[in-house]
Amino acid sequence: MPLEPISLNDGNKIPAIAYGTGSKMKYHDITQYIEQAIEMGFSHIDTAVFYQTEKYVGKAIKESGLARSELFITTKYPREIPIQKSIRESLANLGLQYLDLYLIHQPQFIPDLIEAWKEFEKVQQDGLVKSIGISNVLNVQQLEHLIEVSKVTPAVNQIELHPYNYHKMKSIMDTCSKHNIVVEAYSSLAPITTYPGGPVDAPLRAAAHRIGATPTQVIFLWVRAKGAVIVTTTTNKAHMAEYLAVAELPALTDEEVASIDAAGAKGPPSGIVTRLRLMNTKEKLLGVVAGTMFMVYGAFGLGRLMYPY
C-alpha cells in the first residue's frame, strides 16, 4: 500500500514520494529507468528543464500506458526563457496537456520574482498547471514577501533536506508550515551517500534495528516525520523497491526523530575523513604511491620539477 498523499493548500494532493530525474541522471537518456520506476510503483515523477530529461519522462509516460490521472508530473522553470514559452515547451516535451506541479527552480536568480510569480499564477489560471510552487527558496523574508504580494500562495517549496542541514532549514520549514506550504525534500540520503561515518549513523542504525528496516528507509521515515515529500532517485531496481517499502514500515518515535536531529546538529564528518571513507582500495593505494613519490622527490630537492609553481 503506497504512502498516503499529502494535501496541498490549493485543494490538490501530492504523492508523498517522488522519483527524481536530476542528480547523476541529468543530460542522459534515462527512459528505461523512468519506465522501471513507474512499473515498480512510483506515480510521482520529478523533472526540470535544466535536467534535460523532460523528453525521456514523456517517452516513459507514453510507454507506460497509464491514464493521465494515475501520474503526478512535476517540472521546473529555469530562467532563460519567457515563462509562457517555457511551459508550453515543457508540455510538448512531456506529451501532456497539463502539469500537476510547476516550480520556479532557482528563484534567487530570477531578476523579478514577483513578476515571474504573476506569470505562474496566469498559467495556473489558464489550466496549464494544477499547482504552482518554488524550489530552493531558503530566505524567510523573500518567501514572506512573495506571499504578501501574491494572489496565490506557493503550494510547495522543494529544498535540500537531511539531518545534517535540518537545523539550518528549520526556519524556512517553519515558515512554510505557517502558510501550509508543503516541503519537498531532495538529497535526504546525504548522511549515507556523502557523509558516511558521521554522528547520524548511530541513531539511524538504532531505529533501523528496532523496526527491521535499513538506514536508508529510516532517513525517509525521518523525512516523513518532518511532514515533507520524499524526492529521491536511483537506477537500481532493488533500491526502488526499498524506497517504496517505506510505506509498510511503522513511523519513527518522537525520541528517535529527536535523536537523529541532535546527531545531525553536530555536523557531518570533516571533508578529508569523508573522502577517505568513500575512496575505494585502488584510489587509496594510488594516493599512498603519489604521496611517497612526492616525499622522495622532495628529499632529493627535485620537487620543483614536479610542482614548478
Side-chain angles (χ1 to χ4, degrees), residues 215-249:
T216 291
Q217 290 173 323
V218 172
I219 289 180
F220 287 151
L221 288 172
W222 176 85
V223 172
R224 291 297 304 117
K226 299 303 180 185
V229 171
I230 302 161
V231 180
T232 189
T233 193
T234 181
T235 59
N236 185 296
K237 188 174 182 179
H239 287 164
M240 291 181 189
E242 178 188 12
Y243 301 168
L244 292 169
V246 168
E248 308 300 326
L249 295 171

Short mmCIF file of all heavy atoms in Angstrom, two decimals, residues 215-249:
data_model
loop_
_atom_site.label_atom_id
_atom_site.label_comp_id
_atom_site.label_asym_id
_atom_site.label_seq_id
_atom_site.Cartn_x
_atom_site.Cartn_y
_atom_site.Cartn_z
N PRO A 215 19.00 1.68 7.16
CA PRO A 215 19.24 3.09 7.48
C PRO A 215 18.65 4.04 6.44
O PRO A 215 18.16 5.13 6.78
CB PRO A 215 20.77 3.18 7.54
CG PRO A 215 21.20 1.81 7.99
CD PRO A 215 20.24 0.88 7.28
N THR A 216 18.70 3.64 5.18
CA THR A 216 18.10 4.45 4.12
C THR A 216 16.61 4.66 4.38
O THR A 216 16.09 5.78 4.28
CB THR A 216 18.29 3.75 2.75
OG1 THR A 216 19.67 3.80 2.39
CG2 THR A 216 17.47 4.44 1.66
N GLN A 217 15.92 3.59 4.72
CA GLN A 217 14.48 3.70 4.99
C GLN A 217 14.21 4.56 6.22
O GLN A 217 13.22 5.30 6.25
CB GLN A 217 13.89 2.29 5.17
CG GLN A 217 13.85 1.49 3.88
CD GLN A 217 13.43 0.05 4.09
OE1 GLN A 217 13.78 -0.57 5.10
NE2 GLN A 217 12.67 -0.50 3.16
N VAL A 218 15.10 4.48 7.20
CA VAL A 218 14.93 5.31 8.41
C VAL A 218 15.03 6.79 8.05
O VAL A 218 14.28 7.62 8.57
CB VAL A 218 15.97 4.93 9.49
CG1 VAL A 218 15.91 5.93 10.65
CG2 VAL A 218 15.71 3.52 10.00
N ILE A 219 15.97 7.14 7.16
CA ILE A 219 16.07 8.54 6.74
C ILE A 219 14.78 9.00 6.08
O ILE A 219 14.28 10.10 6.35
CB ILE A 219 17.26 8.75 5.78
CG1 ILE A 219 18.58 8.62 6.55
CG2 ILE A 219 17.18 10.13 5.11
CD1 ILE A 219 19.81 8.80 5.70
N PHE A 220 14.21 8.16 5.24
CA PHE A 220 12.96 8.53 4.59
C PHE A 220 11.81 8.64 5.60
O PHE A 220 10.92 9.49 5.47
CB PHE A 220 12.61 7.55 3.48
CG PHE A 220 13.49 7.68 2.26
CD1 PHE A 220 13.75 6.59 1.45
CD2 PHE A 220 14.06 8.89 1.91
CE1 PHE A 220 14.56 6.70 0.32
CE2 PHE A 220 14.86 9.03 0.80
CZ PHE A 220 15.11 7.92 -0.01
N LEU A 221 11.82 7.79 6.61
CA LEU A 221 10.82 7.91 7.67
C LEU A 221 11.02 9.21 8.45
O LEU A 221 10.05 9.84 8.88
CB LEU A 221 10.91 6.71 8.62
CG LEU A 221 10.42 5.37 8.07
CD1 LEU A 221 10.75 4.24 9.04
CD2 LEU A 221 8.91 5.40 7.80
N TRP A 222 12.27 9.62 8.61
CA TRP A 222 12.58 10.89 9.26
C TRP A 222 12.03 12.05 8.42
O TRP A 222 11.44 12.99 8.96
CB TRP A 222 14.08 11.02 9.44
CG TRP A 222 14.56 12.32 10.00
CD1 TRP A 222 14.65 12.67 11.32
CD2 TRP A 222 15.01 13.46 9.24
NE1 TRP A 222 15.13 13.96 11.43
CE2 TRP A 222 15.36 14.46 10.18
CE3 TRP A 222 15.16 13.73 7.89
CZ2 TRP A 222 15.85 15.72 9.79
CZ3 TRP A 222 15.63 14.97 7.50
CH2 TRP A 222 15.97 15.95 8.45
N VAL A 223 12.21 11.97 7.10
CA VAL A 223 11.66 13.00 6.20
C VAL A 223 10.14 13.07 6.35
O VAL A 223 9.57 14.17 6.46
CB VAL A 223 12.03 12.71 4.73
CG1 VAL A 223 11.29 13.65 3.78
CG2 VAL A 223 13.53 12.84 4.52
N ARG A 224 9.50 11.93 6.40
CA ARG A 224 8.05 11.92 6.55
C ARG A 224 7.63 12.48 7.91
O ARG A 224 6.60 13.13 8.03
CB ARG A 224 7.51 10.48 6.38
CG ARG A 224 7.63 9.96 4.97
CD ARG A 224 6.80 10.77 3.96
NE ARG A 224 5.41 10.81 4.37
CZ ARG A 224 4.76 11.93 4.70
NH1 ARG A 224 5.36 13.11 4.68
NH2 ARG A 224 3.49 11.88 5.05
N ALA A 225 8.45 12.20 8.94
CA ALA A 225 8.14 12.74 10.26
C ALA A 225 8.18 14.26 10.27
O ALA A 225 7.51 14.91 11.09
CB ALA A 225 9.13 12.18 11.30
N LYS A 226 8.95 14.83 9.35
CA LYS A 226 9.02 16.29 9.23
C LYS A 226 7.90 16.83 8.35
O LYS A 226 7.81 18.04 8.11
CB LYS A 226 10.37 16.70 8.64
CG LYS A 226 11.57 16.31 9.49
CD LYS A 226 11.49 16.88 10.89
CE LYS A 226 12.68 16.49 11.74
NZ LYS A 226 12.56 16.94 13.14
N GLY A 227 7.05 15.94 7.85
CA GLY A 227 5.92 16.36 7.02
C GLY A 227 6.27 16.64 5.58
O GLY A 227 5.48 17.24 4.85
N ALA A 228 7.46 16.22 5.15
CA ALA A 228 7.94 16.53 3.81
C ALA A 228 7.73 15.39 2.82
O ALA A 228 7.63 14.22 3.21
CB ALA A 228 9.42 16.90 3.86
N VAL A 229 7.66 15.77 1.55
CA VAL A 229 7.60 14.80 0.46
C VAL A 229 9.02 14.32 0.16
O VAL A 229 9.97 15.12 0.12
CB VAL A 229 6.99 15.44 -0.80
CG1 VAL A 229 7.12 14.52 -2.01
CG2 VAL A 229 5.53 15.80 -0.57
N ILE A 230 9.19 13.04 -0.03
CA ILE A 230 10.49 12.45 -0.36
C ILE A 230 10.72 12.58 -1.86
O ILE A 230 9.90 12.13 -2.66
CB ILE A 230 10.53 10.96 0.02
CG1 ILE A 230 10.25 10.77 1.52
CG2 ILE A 230 11.86 10.34 -0.38
CD1 ILE A 230 9.83 9.35 1.87
N VAL A 231 11.84 13.19 -2.26
CA VAL A 231 12.23 13.22 -3.67
C VAL A 231 13.57 12.50 -3.76
O VAL A 231 14.57 12.95 -3.20
CB VAL A 231 12.39 14.66 -4.20
CG1 VAL A 231 12.79 14.64 -5.67
CG2 VAL A 231 11.08 15.43 -4.03
N THR A 232 13.57 11.36 -4.41
CA THR A 232 14.78 10.54 -4.45
C THR A 232 14.97 9.94 -5.83
O THR A 232 14.09 10.06 -6.69
CB THR A 232 14.69 9.43 -3.38
OG1 THR A 232 15.96 8.76 -3.27
CG2 THR A 232 13.60 8.41 -3.74
N THR A 233 16.11 9.31 -6.03
CA THR A 233 16.35 8.70 -7.34
C THR A 233 17.33 7.55 -7.21
O THR A 233 18.11 7.47 -6.25
CB THR A 233 16.89 9.74 -8.34
OG1 THR A 233 16.83 9.19 -9.66
CG2 THR A 233 18.33 10.13 -8.02
N THR A 234 17.27 6.65 -8.16
CA THR A 234 18.19 5.53 -8.25
C THR A 234 17.98 4.86 -9.60
O THR A 234 16.92 4.98 -10.20
CB THR A 234 17.94 4.50 -7.12
OG1 THR A 234 18.89 3.42 -7.24
CG2 THR A 234 16.54 3.91 -7.20
N THR A 235 19.00 4.16 -10.05
CA THR A 235 18.86 3.36 -11.27
C THR A 235 18.75 1.88 -10.93
O THR A 235 18.67 1.04 -11.81
CB THR A 235 20.07 3.58 -12.20
OG1 THR A 235 21.27 3.21 -11.51
CG2 THR A 235 20.17 5.03 -12.66
N ASN A 236 18.76 1.60 -9.63
CA ASN A 236 18.77 0.23 -9.13
C ASN A 236 17.36 -0.21 -8.75
O ASN A 236 16.72 0.40 -7.89
CB ASN A 236 19.72 0.16 -7.92
CG ASN A 236 19.90 -1.25 -7.40
OD1 ASN A 236 18.95 -1.87 -6.94
ND2 ASN A 236 21.12 -1.75 -7.47
N LYS A 237 16.90 -1.28 -9.35
CA LYS A 237 15.54 -1.76 -9.12
C LYS A 237 15.32 -2.16 -7.66
O LYS A 237 14.26 -1.90 -7.08
CB LYS A 237 15.24 -2.94 -10.04
CG LYS A 237 13.80 -3.40 -10.03
CD LYS A 237 13.57 -4.48 -11.09
CE LYS A 237 12.10 -4.91 -11.12
NZ LYS A 237 11.86 -5.94 -12.16
N ALA A 238 16.33 -2.79 -7.06
CA ALA A 238 16.21 -3.21 -5.66
C ALA A 238 16.08 -1.99 -4.74
O ALA A 238 15.33 -2.01 -3.76
CB ALA A 238 17.42 -4.05 -5.26
N HIS A 239 16.80 -0.92 -5.07
CA HIS A 239 16.69 0.29 -4.27
C HIS A 239 15.32 0.94 -4.42
O HIS A 239 14.76 1.47 -3.46
CB HIS A 239 17.79 1.28 -4.65
CG HIS A 239 19.14 0.87 -4.17
ND1 HIS A 239 20.31 1.42 -4.66
CD2 HIS A 239 19.52 -0.05 -3.24
CE1 HIS A 239 21.34 0.87 -4.05
NE2 HIS A 239 20.88 -0.03 -3.19
N MET A 240 14.77 0.88 -5.64
CA MET A 240 13.42 1.41 -5.84
C MET A 240 12.44 0.69 -4.92
O MET A 240 11.59 1.32 -4.27
CB MET A 240 12.99 1.23 -7.30
CG MET A 240 13.74 2.09 -8.28
SD MET A 240 13.13 1.81 -9.98
CE MET A 240 14.35 2.71 -10.94
N ALA A 241 12.55 -0.64 -4.87
CA ALA A 241 11.67 -1.42 -4.01
C ALA A 241 11.88 -1.06 -2.54
O ALA A 241 10.92 -0.96 -1.77
CB ALA A 241 11.92 -2.91 -4.23
N GLU A 242 13.15 -0.86 -2.17
CA GLU A 242 13.48 -0.47 -0.80
C GLU A 242 12.84 0.86 -0.42
O GLU A 242 12.27 1.01 0.67
CB GLU A 242 15.00 -0.38 -0.65
CG GLU A 242 15.48 0.07 0.71
CD GLU A 242 16.98 0.34 0.72
OE1 GLU A 242 17.60 0.40 -0.36
OE2 GLU A 242 17.53 0.52 1.83
N TYR A 243 12.90 1.81 -1.34
CA TYR A 243 12.34 3.13 -1.07
C TYR A 243 10.81 3.06 -0.92
O TYR A 243 10.24 3.64 0.00
CB TYR A 243 12.68 4.11 -2.19
CG TYR A 243 14.17 4.32 -2.43
CD1 TYR A 243 14.63 4.97 -3.57
CD2 TYR A 243 15.13 3.86 -1.52
CE1 TYR A 243 15.98 5.17 -3.80
CE2 TYR A 243 16.48 4.06 -1.75
CZ TYR A 243 16.91 4.71 -2.89
OH TYR A 243 18.24 4.90 -3.13
N LEU A 244 10.18 2.36 -1.83
CA LEU A 244 8.71 2.28 -1.80
C LEU A 244 8.21 1.49 -0.60
O LEU A 244 7.10 1.73 -0.11
CB LEU A 244 8.20 1.65 -3.10
CG LEU A 244 8.39 2.50 -4.37
CD1 LEU A 244 8.10 1.68 -5.61
CD2 LEU A 244 7.49 3.74 -4.32
N ALA A 245 9.04 0.57 -0.10
CA ALA A 245 8.64 -0.26 1.04
C ALA A 245 8.55 0.54 2.34
O ALA A 245 8.04 0.04 3.35
CB ALA A 245 9.63 -1.42 1.22
N VAL A 246 9.01 1.77 2.31
CA VAL A 246 8.88 2.66 3.48
C VAL A 246 7.41 2.77 3.89
O VAL A 246 7.09 2.93 5.07
CB VAL A 246 9.47 4.05 3.17
CG1 VAL A 246 9.10 5.07 4.23
CG2 VAL A 246 10.99 3.95 3.06
N ALA A 247 6.53 2.66 2.92
CA ALA A 247 5.09 2.77 3.19
C ALA A 247 4.61 1.68 4.14
O ALA A 247 3.59 1.85 4.82
CB ALA A 247 4.30 2.71 1.88
N GLU A 248 5.31 0.56 4.19
CA GLU A 248 4.88 -0.56 5.03
C GLU A 248 5.49 -0.53 6.42
O GLU A 248 5.17 -1.37 7.26
CB GLU A 248 5.27 -1.89 4.34
CG GLU A 248 4.82 -2.02 2.90
CD GLU A 248 3.31 -1.93 2.75
OE1 GLU A 248 2.59 -2.40 3.66
OE2 GLU A 248 2.83 -1.39 1.73
N LEU A 249 6.36 0.43 6.68
CA LEU A 249 7.07 0.48 7.96
C LEU A 249 6.36 1.35 8.98
O LEU A 249 5.67 2.31 8.62
CB LEU A 249 8.49 1.02 7.74
CG LEU A 249 9.41 0.15 6.88
CD1 LEU A 249 10.70 0.90 6.56
CD2 LEU A 249 9.72 -1.17 7.59
#
